[in-house]
Amino acid sequence: MLTIATLVSITLACVIASPAKIPRKATWNDFEGAWIGYDTGTGAFFYRISLTTNETGTCVVLPSDDEAWLYKVTVTSWDDQWNITLRFESIPNSGEKQFEMARVDGVGLTLRETNVRKPDRPREVQLVRESDMKQNIARAEDLAEKLK
């Protein structure tokens, strides 16, 4: 069975290989919902960000099998040019500090931590819509079954 990381990689490769389109203007509906992905530095940290209608949400980061970091997310800004900035506030006892991430060029929704001073490396995460990933997984499984 394929792992989520493998499927995310396949999906991202398909997106990269697709013909370039002139992007349309973004609406809040383009950002709202659940997004999943991995950090681009090591690929070890799994992120799930869920954004709601009122421009707030949650984030769960899984840095290992036995640890989770939980955050309350607030959208501090977004616009119709696909820019978005999120503030992450650590939920008590998760052991992490508050930080902000903003969209950068990349596949799907790529976010990079802001206001990071050298020598520290800013966090960067590449996200895809969770619903799209679930559809792609189901389709891939169906196609694999037909090959048996």
Side-chain angles (χ1 to χ4, degrees):
M1 183 162 177
L2 296 173
T3 66
I4 295 289
T6 303
L7 291 170
V8 168
S9 297
I10 291 168
T11 301
L12 293 175
C14 291
V15 171
I16 291 169
S18 65
K21 297 179 188 176
I22 297 172
R24 62 177 174 72
K25 291 187 181 257
T27 67
W28 176 248
N29 288 338
D30 293 309
F31 296 112
E32 185 179 5
W35 297 83
I36 59 172
Y38 290 89
D39 72 279
T40 60
T42 65
F45 290 59
F46 177 79
Y47 284 71
R48 183 181 188 274
I49 298 173
S50 180
L51 301 174
T52 63
T53 305
N54 64 357
E55 299 182 17
T56 62
T58 59
C59 175
V60 176
V61 179
L62 303 176
S64 65
D65 288 342
D66 58 351
E67 191 175 8
W69 300 332
L70 309 172
Y71 299 92
K72 179 179 143 188
V73 177
T74 305
V75 177
T76 58
S77 67
W78 72 274
D79 64 29
D80 65 3
Q81 299 301 306
W82 296 90
N83 299 306
I84 188 168
T85 302
L86 308 172
R87 183 176 66 245
F88 296 77
E89 296 176 59
S90 179
I91 294 175
N93 300 323
S94 73
E96 280 290 298
K97 63 178 174 70
Q98 177 177 311
F99 63 96
E100 278 198 357
M101 295 182 101
R103 183 183 174 275
V104 295
D105 286 339
V107 176
L109 181 59
T110 302
L111 300 172
R112 182 178 298 140
E113 188 174 10
T114 60
N115 302 317
V116 176
R117 293 205 167 95
K118 290 185 178 184
D120 293 335
R121 181 182 71 83
R123 302 173 219 210
E124 185 170 299
V125 60
Q126 202 165 45
L127 304 163
V128 295
R129 283 202 172 275
E130 184 178 69
S131 58
D132 292 347
M133 183 57 62
K134 286 180 178 179
Q135 287 175 351
N136 289 335
I137 290 169
R139 183 169 177 249
E141 288 175 343
D142 287 345
L143 291 170
E145 280 299 313
K146 291 178 183 176
L147 295 173
K148 289 183 178 180

